[in-house]
Structures are given as structure tokens and as C-alpha cells.
Amino acid sequence: MAGQHARRLLRVLINNIPVVREVEDYTSATPAKELADTRGGSFIKGKILTGIEAMQGTIKIKGMTPQLAKQYGYGPGSRIAVTIKESFDDEDGEQISSQEEWIGTVGKRERSGGASPEDTLTIEVDSSKRVVSGQLEWHVDRLSHICDLGQGDLLADHRASVGL
């Protein structure tokens, strides 16, 4: 069983342009279940899955100039495709790899001050997919009606029912 692990390498592609050394960190666009209360004549309440909350991811980039941001389409409102590849070693000496892919729109770009300023891109994510060491962790795509949280697509039968 894998224990603690440490990242050895991070590679990010934004609109198919590599930004390896410039990326400081990122926040994953992890899907979260949206639940509603149920009662249905019962004394005991329950919860029912009603959807997936809006997904959002962030990327912190150092050394971005306004010219680069404009040239690569990193400005607010721009459609963006992000691929994040990581390689880790765990404390047992095993190698773990992960790949996360987002498609969405840049919601905002914030710039920090200081001697080494960094930009944080907030992405409003329409599609998020994560694979860890060959195993699908999730694939949620708002526009294609795909919702696989690692145990099969929850919407496959529903797409078939409506002819999609």
C-alpha cells in the first residue's frame, strides 16, 4: 500500500503550450456532489444526489507578462484547455503518475505583488478528468452530460433514455 508521496516533477500544458518551470502550484478541479434533503412522509430525513457543483480550478504562474497572457489567451473570458501531468515517489519507493485535464473558461486573472510576482488563473471548468497511475478517478463533462466519479458513468442510461 502506498504511503506518503512527494512530487518529483510537474508539467502543465495550457492550450498545448508547455509552462513547466513557470507553474508554482495548482488547485484541482475536483467534482463535488450536490445533495438535497428528502423526507417523503418519513420522520427521518435523507439525502439525494441532485447533481455536481460547478467546478473550478486554479493555476499559479510566475513570470507571466501581459504580452504572454494575451498571446496565449490567458485573459478573462478566454476558452482554455489545461493538461496537468505529475510524477511522484511514495515512501515505499513506488512511482505514481497522474494526469488531469480541464476544458473551461478563464474566470479571472489575479496578480500578486512583491519581488517575484505571480498570476493566479481561475478556470471555470466545464470538463474535468483525472487519471492516477492508469486508473480513472473521475471524468465529469457538463456539456457532454458525462458524470463518472470513478465507479461508472452515472448518466449513461439517462443519455440513452433521451437519445443522446
Side-chain angles (χ1 to χ4, degrees):
M1 175 180 268
Q4 295 283 327
H5 53 276
R7 182 168 58 203
R8 298 295 181 220
L9 195 57
L10 169 69
R11 181 173 189 222
V12 176
L13 296 150
I14 301 177
N15 291 339
N16 281 327
I17 298 165
V19 284
V20 178
R21 292 180 300 180
E22 297 89 346
V23 174
E24 281 293 302
D25 206 358
Y26 75 98
T27 303
S28 188
T30 308
K33 292 179 181 179
E34 190 173 272
L35 303 172
D37 289 334
T38 62
R39 187 172 234 163
S42 174
F43 181 74
I44 303 169
K45 288 184 178 180
K47 296 278 186 184
I48 188 169
L49 177 64
T50 59
I52 299 295
E53 293 178 4
M55 297 177 292
Q56 196 175 68
T58 62
I59 301 175
K60 292 183 182 180
I61 302 173
K62 287 211 181 262
M64 179 171 303
T65 64
Q67 294 85 359
L68 281 176
K70 185 175 182 180
Q71 178 180 348
Y72 296 140
Y74 297 169
S78 300
R79 289 294 289 169
I80 194 167
V82 178
T83 302
I84 301 163
K85 298 180 179 189
E86 295 178 286
S87 186
F88 300 90
D89 281 334
D90 73 8
E91 62 187 349
D92 298 328
E94 298 293 322
Q95 183 175 334
I96 301 165
S97 62
S98 72
Q99 179 168 317
E100 192 164 330
E101 299 170 2
W102 308 338
I103 298 173
T105 305
V106 177
K108 62 182 171 180
R109 177 179 162 218
E110 295 177 288
R111 185 160 184 90
S112 70
S116 182
E118 69 181 21
D119 289 273
T120 300
L121 298 178
T122 301
I123 317 307
E124 305 302 330
V125 177
D126 292 323
S127 178
S128 179
K129 182 178 183 180
R130 182 172 172 82
V131 176
V132 179
S133 295
Q135 293 289 106
L136 179 70
E137 192 168 327
W138 70 73
H139 180 198
V140 175
D141 189 314
R142 183 177 73 84
L143 303 176
S144 298
H145 308 288
I146 296 170
C147 183
D148 187 338
L149 301 176
Q151 298 175 342
D153 188 349
L154 300 173
L155 297 176
D157 291 338
H158 298 288
R159 284 193 309 275
S161 292
V162 299
L164 290 177

